[in-house]
Amino acid sequence: MAHKLVDSYREKGARKKLVQLLQERGIADENVLKAIGKVPRHYFFDETFWKQAYKDIAFPIGDGQTISQPYTVAYQTELLHIKIGDKVLEIGTGSGYQTCILVELGAQVYTIERQENLYNRTKQVLPHIGYQAEFFFGDGSKGIAKHAPYDKIIVTAGAPLVPEILLKQLKIGGILVIPVGDEESQKMITVLRVSENDFERFVLDTFRFVPLVGEKAW
Ligand code: SAH
């Protein structure tokens, strides 16, 4: 983890290029692109690997986990249609990069991670680099009922199905974004809570996430 917080013209320039690349790859939401342009992704990397930070690739961050590919982060974030003040539940904190993008967009983020090392690390790193969120340790496949309902829920690990329990924690008009499939590949699914008992599902593109591990998952 990089502890020297240097964001020079070199990193800023690389970030601009990444934003252009994401735009070419189909990310259209100006606010999402702006957020990607702001969050210093190299802070999540050891200084030796700073050159890798602005390539559109996933990267190992230790504890057997990866920081998601920028395209994937942008894609999921776009689907959430974040409005300033939205209460967002993120399942799978990981590096915290996705968390920062949500915070940058004005969301109030509740984020949960099941790996204790990652939870401890990210809980320290984010405030250190200027991003505030509520951090929880535990199995997020059940959501966090205590703080429900949420405007938006994002799952950043692949699930075998949409956990029903998460749908119950959405506000009316709320959106869930979750990759669903087997361990090889998942389809991005969005669920809109239309009313108390009505939900609309949309099946989108194919991705490959690390598996969601938990009581309401595999
Ligand atoms: N959003 C992250 C990427 C996360 S990778 C980023 O931007 O870097 C997916 C994360 O989900 C991993 O850290 C994994 O440990 C976590 N995870 C898997 N199952 C989980 C569960 N049931 N509850 C909480 N976190 C979970």
Side-chain angles (χ1 to χ4, degrees):
M1 192 56 53
H3 292 292
K4 253 206 287 174
L5 301 186
V6 179
D7 191 26
S8 75
Y9 72 93
R10 208 172 307 164
E11 287 78 34
K12 288 193 174 85
R15 209 147 60 230
K16 246 190 195 159
K17 282 199 182 138
L18 173 62
V19 168
Q20 279 164 8
L21 181 66
L22 294 179
Q23 220 164 0
E24 284 162 22
R25 293 190 172 170
I27 304 299
D29 187 319
E30 287 295 330
N31 292 328
V32 173
L33 291 168
K34 254 186 229 160
I36 300 268
K38 274 197 182 166
V39 178
R41 192 167 184 265
H42 63 284
Y43 288 173
F44 296 88
F45 290 63
D46 190 278
E47 215 176 322
T48 341
F49 298 113
W50 276 13
K51 275 216 169 118
Q52 307 299 318
Y54 296 107
K55 292 184 179 165
D56 191 20
I57 53 170
F59 205 79
I61 53 165
D63 296 311
Q65 293 300 328
T66 53
I67 179 167
S68 301
Q69 187 182 339
Y71 175 76
T72 307
V73 171
Y75 186 98
Q76 282 197 292
T77 309
E78 198 168 49
L79 293 173
L80 286 173
H81 299 284
I82 300 291
K83 290 199 281 291
I84 292 171
D86 268 359
K87 187 169 165 187
V88 179
L89 172 63
E90 178 192 33
I91 299 160
T93 313
S95 68
Y97 176 65
Q98 169 78 70
T99 318
C100 293
I101 297 292
L102 295 169
V103 171
E104 195 63 69
L105 284 163
Q108 185 195 348
V109 184
Y110 294 74
T111 184
I112 182 163
E113 173 56 54
R114 65 176 284 276
Q115 279 204 36
E116 200 163 7
N117 286 346
L118 269 182
Y119 158 76
N120 283 320
R121 191 164 89 182
T122 304
K123 189 172 74 163
Q124 284 185 352
V125 170
L126 261 55
H128 182 62
I129 65 172
Y131 291 91
Q132 310 299 331
E134 302 292 328
F135 297 92
F136 298 85
F137 168 60
D139 176 10
S141 68
K142 297 179 282 192
I144 310 179
K146 195 178 161 206
H147 297 286
Y150 305 96
D151 294 292
K152 314 283 160 67
I153 301 178
I154 172 173
V155 182
T156 71
L161 43 80
V162 177
E164 287 294 318
I165 197 164
L166 294 185
L167 297 178
K168 295 203 181 83
Q169 294 179 24
L170 274 180
K171 289 185 191 171
I172 309 284
I175 300 170
L176 165 69
V177 175
I178 180 169
V180 174
D182 56 27
E183 285 178 70
E184 294 303 311
S185 78
Q186 304 92 33
K187 290 277 183 199
M188 196 65 76
I189 291 190
T190 70
V191 186
L192 169 68
R193 185 169 202 172
V194 181
S195 68
E196 186 63 31
N197 295 310
D198 296 308
F199 298 88
E200 269 178 28
R201 276 181 198 226
F202 304 89
V203 181
L204 305 163
D205 296 311
T206 305
F207 290 85
R208 187 181 181 148
F209 283 78
V210 300
L212 181 74
V213 181
E215 201 182 304
K216 302 288 175 185
W218 299 99

